Amino acid sequence: MATAASQQTWMQRNKMIVTPILFLLPGLLFFSVYVIIPIFQSFQISAYEWNGLGDLSERGEFVGLQNYRELMSDRAFEVSLWNNVKWLALYLLAIPGGLFIALFLNQTVTGIRLYKSLFFFPFVISQVVVGLVFTWFYLPRGGLLNTILGGLGFDTLNILGDPTLATYGIIAAGLWPQTAYCMILYLTGLNAVDPEQVEAARLDGAKGWRMLWHVVLPQLRPATFIAFVVTIIGALRSFDLISVMTNGGPFGSTRVLSFYMFEQALSEYGFRMGYGSAIAVVLFLIMLIFIAYFLYSMWRDERPART
Amino acid sequence: MFPTPIQKRSEAVRVTYQVFLPIALILWLLPLIAVASFSIRPLTDFTQGNFWGWPSSFNLFTNYGRVFFESDMPRYMLNSLMITIPTVVGAVALSCMTGFALGIYRFKGNLLIFFMFIAGNFVPFQILMVPVRDLTVSLNLYDTKLGLVLFHIAFQTGFCTLFMRNFIKALPVELIEAARVEGVAEWRIFWFVVLPLMRPAIAALAVLIFTFIWNDYFWAIVLTQGPEAQPVTAGITSFNSQFVAQYHLMSAGSIVAAIPPVAMFFAMQKHFIAGLTLGAVK
């Protein structure tokens, strides 16, 4: 046996470590160059005043924490941050909304599959198109919403033109596909709900909210977790809808951090890469709280499998 | 509030449900139905304020014909395809490999690398924007399809790895052990044992990534500029400025831009949903 082992090539002896490295290499390389390293570079750039031309070290001016200090007194930043909070809080409505629709559709009647797909379909459309669709829906003259409001005898609303309403109008547009996403997560989850448990609980007299809360929801935990992850990420990533529907306006009232960052770094308003990166870093740190929590939950689930 | 199966309820409940379903669906899709109805009207309806009345004529073919023959729309669509398809192929190929490495082998740092992929997949795009744009410019790939494709492949590899690794992890270990005992080389195990079993995962990811990339807007406006390379999501804004206030053409354009992922979804629904639930909800 010993001689047989020594006759093996180095490659054969170490195959259990060399193989995974070789398989990981291309993916890891790509991912590092385009995702991991840029995160650190953004941190670095945020300490400079730089217009994006030429080399950072030559043409950029090192300003330390100046950009962050400037953020503290920037009204537009404050508005964006607040809007992010609104997005986060209201976007979560997609989860109960999706659950409600899923419960409604969780029946077996003819054509139900088609209904499920059609309910889901807003999610498949790009946010750009969703944004356009809702812009036309909200049109002050001729838009469907105002036609209905007018028909019911209410005053018409210029939702996207009103600084106090515009953000809510955009969030409503975002909730449309997001609710559809949560719905499909719950529909799949409901398939796995144990009918015997439900039946047993029913015999024990559980119904209504109590049934939902104590019997069904615990079994939907994995679906709820994913719904949370994708909804929070979605809320903090909101950009397309704002860009398409209001372009940050009216009077900057619909900006969020992701949009304000883009505006500062790469639009007609200027090329302040350093300042933009500082905004991105703040957004990243907010996101990091959630990412850390998600990873922790996944790690917890991972442990028993590792043995 | 877990609904009793409708079959066990009274006739009245069943009928109400059946009637209510289509009404709920119409309400849900109302904004979309509105746009579809815009897209078949003639321009005069909008100038005369007839947004919702009976169309003065049906212009389905004229409107969509103009979208296809009098604008850059076909070109944007082609760009979108030429960006989306290579990305799907690249990201799926890379993640089959990373997923295999992370799902089968035990080595130090396995979980760390895996979590790095997951974390990277969740970061806000803006933290990558300036460096990635810079890198793309310095590679001379700014405003090219290749520039977008390379970035998309890299970024999607994060999500795809998460998916593939979990899928492979759930495969029966005995299969691989048996092959090893037989003395099969590791890369052959990948190619002949694991890869064939991964078909459903590959299908799910392919549809999903197709939709994600087709619908991407942020990177399209960061890394491209003109009709040469812009995909349809970015192109539609220039399309709309070409036809300002011509709601019939703008809505027809939006519908055209939305069709490919929708068609993909309806064709591959089962795989699509398996992908969306990240394989975690069985």
Side-chain angles (χ1 to χ4, degrees), chain A residues 260-290:
Chain A
Y260 187 45
M261 184 276 169
F262 179 80
E263 223 176 38
Q264 285 295 322
L266 208 68
S267 74
E268 65 261 46
Y269 299 105
F271 280 83
R272 295 188 64 193
M273 301 288 173
Y275 196 54
S277 296
I279 303 169
V281 165
V282 173
L283 180 62
F284 174 75
L285 293 177
I286 297 173
M287 203 89 118
L288 202 59
I289 301 170
F290 295 104

PDB file of all heavy atoms in Angstrom, chain A residues 260-290:
ATOM      1  N   TYR A 260     -29.603  59.449  -5.636  1.00  0.00           N
ATOM      2  CA  TYR A 260     -28.815  60.649  -5.355  1.00  0.00           C
ATOM      3  C   TYR A 260     -27.340  60.397  -5.658  1.00  0.00           C
ATOM      4  O   TYR A 260     -26.639  61.268  -6.178  1.00  0.00           O
ATOM      5  CB  TYR A 260     -29.013  61.051  -3.897  1.00  0.00           C
ATOM      6  CG  TYR A 260     -28.391  62.373  -3.534  1.00  0.00           C
ATOM      7  CD1 TYR A 260     -28.541  63.476  -4.371  1.00  0.00           C
ATOM      8  CD2 TYR A 260     -27.661  62.517  -2.363  1.00  0.00           C
ATOM      9  CE1 TYR A 260     -27.968  64.694  -4.041  1.00  0.00           C
ATOM     10  CE2 TYR A 260     -27.094  63.729  -2.026  1.00  0.00           C
ATOM     11  CZ  TYR A 260     -27.241  64.818  -2.866  1.00  0.00           C
ATOM     12  OH  TYR A 260     -26.669  65.999  -2.546  1.00  0.00           O
ATOM     13  N   MET A 261     -26.882  59.185  -5.361  1.00  0.00           N
ATOM     14  CA  MET A 261     -25.500  58.825  -5.654  1.00  0.00           C
ATOM     15  C   MET A 261     -25.230  58.938  -7.144  1.00  0.00           C
ATOM     16  O   MET A 261     -24.263  59.533  -7.587  1.00  0.00           O
ATOM     17  CB  MET A 261     -25.246  57.393  -5.174  1.00  0.00           C
ATOM     18  CG  MET A 261     -23.836  56.905  -5.327  1.00  0.00           C
ATOM     19  SD  MET A 261     -23.515  56.280  -6.976  1.00  0.00           S
ATOM     20  CE  MET A 261     -21.765  56.098  -6.927  1.00  0.00           C
ATOM     21  N   PHE A 262     -26.153  58.367  -7.920  1.00  0.00           N
ATOM     22  CA  PHE A 262     -25.994  58.404  -9.380  1.00  0.00           C
ATOM     23  C   PHE A 262     -26.004  59.855  -9.868  1.00  0.00           C
ATOM     24  O   PHE A 262     -25.187  60.243 -10.702  1.00  0.00           O
ATOM     25  CB  PHE A 262     -27.129  57.614 -10.027  1.00  0.00           C
ATOM     26  CG  PHE A 262     -27.086  57.612 -11.525  1.00  0.00           C
ATOM     27  CD1 PHE A 262     -26.238  56.760 -12.197  1.00  0.00           C
ATOM     28  CD2 PHE A 262     -27.892  58.473 -12.259  1.00  0.00           C
ATOM     29  CE1 PHE A 262     -26.191  56.757 -13.575  1.00  0.00           C
ATOM     30  CE2 PHE A 262     -27.852  58.485 -13.638  1.00  0.00           C
ATOM     31  CZ  PHE A 262     -26.999  57.624 -14.302  1.00  0.00           C
ATOM     32  N   GLU A 263     -26.892  60.640  -9.304  1.00  0.00           N
ATOM     33  CA  GLU A 263     -27.013  62.027  -9.724  1.00  0.00           C
ATOM     34  C   GLU A 263     -25.717  62.799  -9.472  1.00  0.00           C
ATOM     35  O   GLU A 263     -25.266  63.572 -10.306  1.00  0.00           O
ATOM     36  CB  GLU A 263     -28.140  62.673  -8.912  1.00  0.00           C
ATOM     37  CG  GLU A 263     -29.057  63.541  -9.730  1.00  0.00           C
ATOM     38  CD  GLU A 263     -30.200  64.059  -8.876  1.00  0.00           C
ATOM     39  OE1 GLU A 263     -29.988  64.384  -7.692  1.00  0.00           O
ATOM     40  OE2 GLU A 263     -31.300  64.126  -9.381  1.00  0.00           O
ATOM     41  N   GLN A 264     -25.118  62.551  -8.308  1.00  0.00           N
ATOM     42  CA  GLN A 264     -23.888  63.260  -7.960  1.00  0.00           C
ATOM     43  C   GLN A 264     -22.702  62.799  -8.799  1.00  0.00           C
ATOM     44  O   GLN A 264     -21.847  63.589  -9.157  1.00  0.00           O
ATOM     45  CB  GLN A 264     -23.556  63.040  -6.473  1.00  0.00           C
ATOM     46  CG  GLN A 264     -24.423  63.825  -5.540  1.00  0.00           C
ATOM     47  CD  GLN A 264     -24.227  65.322  -5.692  1.00  0.00           C
ATOM     48  OE1 GLN A 264     -23.123  65.800  -5.900  1.00  0.00           O
ATOM     49  NE2 GLN A 264     -25.316  66.063  -5.630  1.00  0.00           N
ATOM     50  N   ALA A 265     -22.660  61.507  -9.090  1.00  0.00           N
ATOM     51  CA  ALA A 265     -21.448  60.964  -9.700  1.00  0.00           C
ATOM     52  C   ALA A 265     -21.526  60.904 -11.223  1.00  0.00           C
ATOM     53  O   ALA A 265     -20.489  60.929 -11.888  1.00  0.00           O
ATOM     54  CB  ALA A 265     -21.173  59.562  -9.150  1.00  0.00           C
ATOM     55  N   LEU A 266     -22.718  60.828 -11.769  1.00  0.00           N
ATOM     56  CA  LEU A 266     -22.755  60.489 -13.187  1.00  0.00           C
ATOM     57  C   LEU A 266     -23.967  61.054 -13.916  1.00  0.00           C
ATOM     58  O   LEU A 266     -24.645  60.348 -14.629  1.00  0.00           O
ATOM     59  CB  LEU A 266     -22.777  58.957 -13.301  1.00  0.00           C
ATOM     60  CG  LEU A 266     -22.170  58.375 -14.562  1.00  0.00           C
ATOM     61  CD1 LEU A 266     -20.685  58.613 -14.566  1.00  0.00           C
ATOM     62  CD2 LEU A 266     -22.439  56.880 -14.636  1.00  0.00           C
ATOM     63  N   SER A 267     -24.237  62.306 -13.725  1.00  0.00           N
ATOM     64  CA  SER A 267     -25.362  62.845 -14.481  1.00  0.00           C
ATOM     65  C   SER A 267     -25.039  64.266 -14.871  1.00  0.00           C
ATOM     66  O   SER A 267     -23.936  64.757 -14.617  1.00  0.00           O
ATOM     67  CB  SER A 267     -26.637  62.797 -13.653  1.00  0.00           C
ATOM     68  OG  SER A 267     -26.579  63.804 -12.668  1.00  0.00           O
ATOM     69  N   GLU A 268     -26.015  64.944 -15.417  1.00  0.00           N
ATOM     70  CA  GLU A 268     -25.740  66.327 -15.848  1.00  0.00           C
ATOM     71  C   GLU A 268     -25.447  67.235 -14.668  1.00  0.00           C
ATOM     72  O   GLU A 268     -24.941  68.323 -14.824  1.00  0.00           O
ATOM     73  CB  GLU A 268     -26.901  66.859 -16.691  1.00  0.00           C
ATOM     74  CG  GLU A 268     -28.200  67.007 -15.953  1.00  0.00           C
ATOM     75  CD  GLU A 268     -29.131  65.822 -16.202  1.00  0.00           C
ATOM     76  OE1 GLU A 268     -28.689  64.655 -16.136  1.00  0.00           O
ATOM     77  OE2 GLU A 268     -30.308  66.060 -16.469  1.00  0.00           O
ATOM     78  N   TYR A 269     -25.767  66.748 -13.434  1.00  0.00           N
ATOM     79  CA  TYR A 269     -25.514  67.595 -12.273  1.00  0.00           C
ATOM     80  C   TYR A 269     -24.064  67.572 -11.814  1.00  0.00           C
ATOM     81  O   TYR A 269     -23.694  68.288 -10.905  1.00  0.00           O
ATOM     82  CB  TYR A 269     -26.431  67.181 -11.121  1.00  0.00           C
ATOM     83  CG  TYR A 269     -27.866  67.327 -11.480  1.00  0.00           C
ATOM     84  CD1 TYR A 269     -28.637  66.219 -11.776  1.00  0.00           C
ATOM     85  CD2 TYR A 269     -28.435  68.593 -11.582  1.00  0.00           C
ATOM     86  CE1 TYR A 269     -29.966  66.359 -12.135  1.00  0.00           C
ATOM     87  CE2 TYR A 269     -29.752  68.739 -11.951  1.00  0.00           C
ATOM     88  CZ  TYR A 269     -30.521  67.624 -12.227  1.00  0.00           C
ATOM     89  OH  TYR A 269     -31.824  67.748 -12.597  1.00  0.00           O
ATOM     90  N   GLY A 270     -23.273  66.687 -12.387  1.00  0.00           N
ATOM     91  CA  GLY A 270     -21.880  66.738 -11.977  1.00  0.00           C
ATOM     92  C   GLY A 270     -21.211  65.383 -11.984  1.00  0.00           C
ATOM     93  O   GLY A 270     -21.861  64.355 -12.133  1.00  0.00           O
ATOM     94  N   PHE A 271     -19.934  65.429 -11.848  1.00  0.00           N
ATOM     95  CA  PHE A 271     -19.157  64.202 -11.849  1.00  0.00           C
ATOM     96  C   PHE A 271     -18.350  64.120 -10.569  1.00  0.00           C
ATOM     97  O   PHE A 271     -17.148  63.987 -10.589  1.00  0.00           O
ATOM     98  CB  PHE A 271     -18.236  64.165 -13.072  1.00  0.00           C
ATOM     99  CG  PHE A 271     -18.952  63.738 -14.316  1.00  0.00           C
ATOM    100  CD1 PHE A 271     -19.675  64.654 -15.073  1.00  0.00           C
ATOM    101  CD2 PHE A 271     -18.924  62.416 -14.726  1.00  0.00           C
ATOM    102  CE1 PHE A 271     -20.350  64.253 -16.205  1.00  0.00           C
ATOM    103  CE2 PHE A 271     -19.597  62.019 -15.857  1.00  0.00           C
ATOM    104  CZ  PHE A 271     -20.314  62.939 -16.608  1.00  0.00           C
ATOM    105  N   ARG A 272     -19.025  64.226  -9.445  1.00  0.00           N
ATOM    106  CA  ARG A 272     -18.291  64.164  -8.176  1.00  0.00           C
ATOM    107  C   ARG A 272     -18.217  62.707  -7.744  1.00  0.00           C
ATOM    108  O   ARG A 272     -19.010  62.237  -6.939  1.00  0.00           O
ATOM    109  CB  ARG A 272     -18.984  65.024  -7.123  1.00  0.00           C
ATOM    110  CG  ARG A 272     -18.971  66.500  -7.456  1.00  0.00           C
ATOM    111  CD  ARG A 272     -19.487  67.300  -6.281  1.00  0.00           C
ATOM    112  NE  ARG A 272     -18.598  67.172  -5.116  1.00  0.00           N
ATOM    113  CZ  ARG A 272     -18.956  67.561  -3.909  1.00  0.00           C
ATOM    114  NH1 ARG A 272     -20.161  68.057  -3.697  1.00  0.00           N
ATOM    115  NH2 ARG A 272     -18.114  67.435  -2.889  1.00  0.00           N
ATOM    116  N   MET A 273     -17.209  62.004  -8.264  1.00  0.00           N
ATOM    117  CA  MET A 273     -17.078  60.578  -7.979  1.00  0.00           C
ATOM    118  C   MET A 273     -16.846  60.333  -6.495  1.00  0.00           C
ATOM    119  O   MET A 273     -17.371  59.383  -5.927  1.00  0.00           O
ATOM    120  CB  MET A 273     -15.915  59.984  -8.775  1.00  0.00           C
ATOM    121  CG  MET A 273     -16.057  60.141 -10.262  1.00  0.00           C
ATOM    122  SD  MET A 273     -17.324  59.054 -10.910  1.00  0.00           S
ATOM    123  CE  MET A 273     -17.409  59.590 -12.611  1.00  0.00           C
ATOM    124  N   GLY A 274     -16.034  61.187  -5.863  1.00  0.00           N
ATOM    125  CA  GLY A 274     -15.722  60.997  -4.453  1.00  0.00           C
ATOM    126  C   GLY A 274     -16.964  61.155  -3.591  1.00  0.00           C
ATOM    127  O   GLY A 274     -17.276  60.301  -2.749  1.00  0.00           O
ATOM    128  N   TYR A 275     -17.690  62.245  -3.831  1.00  0.00           N
ATOM    129  CA  TYR A 275     -18.896  62.500  -3.051  1.00  0.00           C
ATOM    130  C   TYR A 275     -19.925  61.399  -3.298  1.00  0.00           C
ATOM    131  O   TYR A 275     -20.547  60.898  -2.363  1.00  0.00           O
ATOM    132  CB  TYR A 275     -19.456  63.875  -3.430  1.00  0.00           C
ATOM    133  CG  TYR A 275     -20.452  64.417  -2.446  1.00  0.00           C
ATOM    134  CD1 TYR A 275     -20.136  64.530  -1.100  1.00  0.00           C
ATOM    135  CD2 TYR A 275     -21.715  64.830  -2.865  1.00  0.00           C
ATOM    136  CE1 TYR A 275     -21.046  65.033  -0.189  1.00  0.00           C
ATOM    137  CE2 TYR A 275     -22.643  65.331  -1.965  1.00  0.00           C
ATOM    138  CZ  TYR A 275     -22.303  65.432  -0.631  1.00  0.00           C
ATOM    139  OH  TYR A 275     -23.220  65.918   0.260  1.00  0.00           O
ATOM    140  N   GLY A 276     -20.080  61.028  -4.560  1.00  0.00           N
ATOM    141  CA  GLY A 276     -20.990  59.943  -4.906  1.00  0.00           C
ATOM    142  C   GLY A 276     -20.617  58.664  -4.179  1.00  0.00           C
ATOM    143  O   GLY A 276     -21.474  57.973  -3.620  1.00  0.00           O
ATOM    144  N   SER A 277     -19.331  58.348  -4.169  1.00  0.00           N
ATOM    145  CA  SER A 277     -18.892  57.124  -3.501  1.00  0.00           C
ATOM    146  C   SER A 277     -19.181  57.173  -2.010  1.00  0.00           C
ATOM    147  O   SER A 277     -19.515  56.145  -1.399  1.00  0.00           O
ATOM    148  CB  SER A 277     -17.396  56.897  -3.724  1.00  0.00           C
ATOM    149  OG  SER A 277     -17.164  56.684  -5.093  1.00  0.00           O
ATOM    150  N   ALA A 278     -19.065  58.364  -1.424  1.00  0.00           N
ATOM    151  CA  ALA A 278     -19.374  58.471   0.009  1.00  0.00           C
ATOM    152  C   ALA A 278     -20.838  58.115   0.247  1.00  0.00           C
ATOM    153  O   ALA A 278     -21.175  57.399   1.202  1.00  0.00           O
ATOM    154  CB  ALA A 278     -19.076  59.880   0.507  1.00  0.00           C
ATOM    155  N   ILE A 279     -21.731  58.583  -0.648  1.00  0.00           N
ATOM    156  CA  ILE A 279     -23.148  58.224  -0.512  1.00  0.00           C
ATOM    157  C   ILE A 279     -23.322  56.718  -0.659  1.00  0.00           C
ATOM    158  O   ILE A 279     -24.039  56.077   0.107  1.00  0.00           O
ATOM    159  CB  ILE A 279     -23.998  58.959  -1.578  1.00  0.00           C
ATOM    160  CG1 ILE A 279     -23.803  60.464  -1.459  1.00  0.00           C
ATOM    161  CG2 ILE A 279     -25.464  58.587  -1.445  1.00  0.00           C
ATOM    162  CD1 ILE A 279     -24.388  61.249  -2.615  1.00  0.00           C
ATOM    163  N   ALA A 280     -22.607  56.156  -1.648  1.00  0.00           N
ATOM    164  CA  ALA A 280     -22.700  54.711  -1.883  1.00  0.00           C
ATOM    165  C   ALA A 280     -22.233  53.935  -0.656  1.00  0.00           C
ATOM    166  O   ALA A 280     -22.811  52.907  -0.303  1.00  0.00           O
ATOM    167  CB  ALA A 280     -21.884  54.327  -3.111  1.00  0.00           C
ATOM    168  N   VAL A 281     -21.182  54.451  -0.001  1.00  0.00           N
ATOM    169  CA  VAL A 281     -20.671  53.757   1.186  1.00  0.00           C
ATOM    170  C   VAL A 281     -21.727  53.746   2.281  1.00  0.00           C
ATOM    171  O   VAL A 281     -21.966  52.718   2.926  1.00  0.00           O
ATOM    172  CB  VAL A 281     -19.360  54.419   1.670  1.00  0.00           C
ATOM    173  CG1 VAL A 281     -19.015  53.963   3.085  1.00  0.00           C
ATOM    174  CG2 VAL A 281     -18.225  54.090   0.718  1.00  0.00           C
ATOM    175  N   VAL A 282     -22.411  54.886   2.456  1.00  0.00           N
ATOM    176  CA  VAL A 282     -23.470  54.935   3.475  1.00  0.00           C
ATOM    177  C   VAL A 282     -24.553  53.904   3.153  1.00  0.00           C
ATOM    178  O   VAL A 282     -24.968  53.119   4.016  1.00  0.00           O
ATOM    179  CB  VAL A 282     -24.077  56.353   3.568  1.00  0.00           C
ATOM    180  CG1 VAL A 282     -25.284  56.349   4.499  1.00  0.00           C
ATOM    181  CG2 VAL A 282     -23.033  57.336   4.032  1.00  0.00           C
ATOM    182  N   LEU A 283     -24.974  53.882   1.888  1.00  0.00           N
ATOM    183  CA  LEU A 283     -26.000  52.917   1.480  1.00  0.00           C
ATOM    184  C   LEU A 283     -25.517  51.487   1.710  1.00  0.00           C
ATOM    185  O   LEU A 283     -26.253  50.628   2.187  1.00  0.00           O
ATOM    186  CB  LEU A 283     -26.344  53.138   0.002  1.00  0.00           C
ATOM    187  CG  LEU A 283     -27.397  52.214  -0.598  1.00  0.00           C
ATOM    188  CD1 LEU A 283     -28.725  52.374   0.109  1.00  0.00           C
ATOM    189  CD2 LEU A 283     -27.573  52.509  -2.087  1.00  0.00           C
ATOM    190  N   PHE A 284     -24.244  51.266   1.378  1.00  0.00           N
ATOM    191  CA  PHE A 284     -23.660  49.938   1.557  1.00  0.00           C
ATOM    192  C   PHE A 284     -23.684  49.525   3.021  1.00  0.00           C
ATOM    193  O   PHE A 284     -24.025  48.387   3.351  1.00  0.00           O
ATOM    194  CB  PHE A 284     -22.227  49.941   1.013  1.00  0.00           C
ATOM    195  CG  PHE A 284     -21.471  48.675   1.272  1.00  0.00           C
ATOM    196  CD1 PHE A 284     -21.733  47.535   0.536  1.00  0.00           C
ATOM    197  CD2 PHE A 284     -20.480  48.621   2.243  1.00  0.00           C
ATOM    198  CE1 PHE A 284     -21.037  46.360   0.760  1.00  0.00           C
ATOM    199  CE2 PHE A 284     -19.772  47.458   2.471  1.00  0.00           C
ATOM    200  CZ  PHE A 284     -20.053  46.325   1.738  1.00  0.00           C
ATOM    201  N   LEU A 285     -23.348  50.460   3.903  1.00  0.00           N
ATOM    202  CA  LEU A 285     -23.305  50.122   5.329  1.00  0.00           C
ATOM    203  C   LEU A 285     -24.706  49.798   5.848  1.00  0.00           C
ATOM    204  O   LEU A 285     -24.878  48.897   6.668  1.00  0.00           O
ATOM    205  CB  LEU A 285     -22.667  51.264   6.129  1.00  0.00           C
ATOM    206  CG  LEU A 285     -21.179  51.485   5.835  1.00  0.00           C
ATOM    207  CD1 LEU A 285     -20.639  52.687   6.603  1.00  0.00           C
ATOM    208  CD2 LEU A 285     -20.361  50.232   6.159  1.00  0.00           C
ATOM    209  N   ILE A 286     -25.702  50.530   5.344  1.00  0.00           N
ATOM    210  CA  ILE A 286     -27.077  50.210   5.739  1.00  0.00           C
ATOM    211  C   ILE A 286     -27.420  48.792   5.291  1.00  0.00           C
ATOM    212  O   ILE A 286     -27.937  47.972   6.043  1.00  0.00           O
ATOM    213  CB  ILE A 286     -28.073  51.222   5.128  1.00  0.00           C
ATOM    214  CG1 ILE A 286     -27.795  52.624   5.663  1.00  0.00           C
ATOM    215  CG2 ILE A 286     -29.512  50.806   5.414  1.00  0.00           C
ATOM    216  CD1 ILE A 286     -28.602  53.707   4.988  1.00  0.00           C
ATOM    217  N   MET A 287     -27.080  48.514   4.041  1.00  0.00           N
ATOM    218  CA  MET A 287     -27.366  47.204   3.475  1.00  0.00           C
ATOM    219  C   MET A 287     -26.615  46.126   4.245  1.00  0.00           C
ATOM    220  O   MET A 287     -27.109  45.014   4.428  1.00  0.00           O
ATOM    221  CB  MET A 287     -26.929  47.201   2.012  1.00  0.00           C
ATOM    222  CG  MET A 287     -27.607  46.187   1.157  1.00  0.00           C
ATOM    223  SD  MET A 287     -29.119  46.811   0.446  1.00  0.00           S
ATOM    224  CE  MET A 287     -28.785  46.726  -1.290  1.00  0.00           C
ATOM    225  N   LEU A 288     -25.413  46.464   4.706  1.00  0.00           N
ATOM    226  CA  LEU A 288     -24.556  45.486   5.372  1.00  0.00           C
ATOM    227  C   LEU A 288     -25.210  44.951   6.639  1.00  0.00           C
ATOM    228  O   LEU A 288     -25.037  43.771   6.984  1.00  0.00           O
ATOM    229  CB  LEU A 288     -23.206  46.134   5.699  1.00  0.00           C
ATOM    230  CG  LEU A 288     -22.035  45.181   5.897  1.00  0.00           C
ATOM    231  CD1 LEU A 288     -21.811  44.356   4.651  1.00  0.00           C
ATOM    232  CD2 LEU A 288     -20.775  45.959   6.242  1.00  0.00           C
ATOM    233  N   ILE A 289     -25.975  45.808   7.316  1.00  0.00           N
ATOM    234  CA  ILE A 289     -26.671  45.350   8.521  1.00  0.00           C
ATOM    235  C   ILE A 289     -27.572  44.177   8.145  1.00  0.00           C
ATOM    236  O   ILE A 289     -27.583  43.136   8.799  1.00  0.00           O
ATOM    237  CB  ILE A 289     -27.530  46.487   9.122  1.00  0.00           C
ATOM    238  CG1 ILE A 289     -26.640  47.678   9.457  1.00  0.00           C
ATOM    239  CG2 ILE A 289     -28.301  45.995  10.338  1.00  0.00           C
ATOM    240  CD1 ILE A 289     -27.427  48.919   9.827  1.00  0.00           C
ATOM    241  N   PHE A 290     -28.318  44.363   7.044  1.00  0.00           N
ATOM    242  CA  PHE A 290     -29.239  43.304   6.630  1.00  0.00           C
ATOM    243  C   PHE A 290     -28.482  42.093   6.093  1.00  0.00           C
ATOM    244  O   PHE A 290     -28.819  40.956   6.408  1.00  0.00           O
ATOM    245  CB  PHE A 290     -30.207  43.839   5.575  1.00  0.00           C
ATOM    246  CG  PHE A 290     -31.119  44.897   6.107  1.00  0.00           C
ATOM    247  CD1 PHE A 290     -30.908  46.227   5.806  1.00  0.00           C
ATOM    248  CD2 PHE A 290     -32.175  44.556   6.936  1.00  0.00           C
ATOM    249  CE1 PHE A 290     -31.749  47.205   6.307  1.00  0.00           C
ATOM    250  CE2 PHE A 290     -33.019  45.523   7.446  1.00  0.00           C
ATOM    251  CZ  PHE A 290     -32.802  46.852   7.128  1.00  0.00           C
TER     252      PHE A 290
END
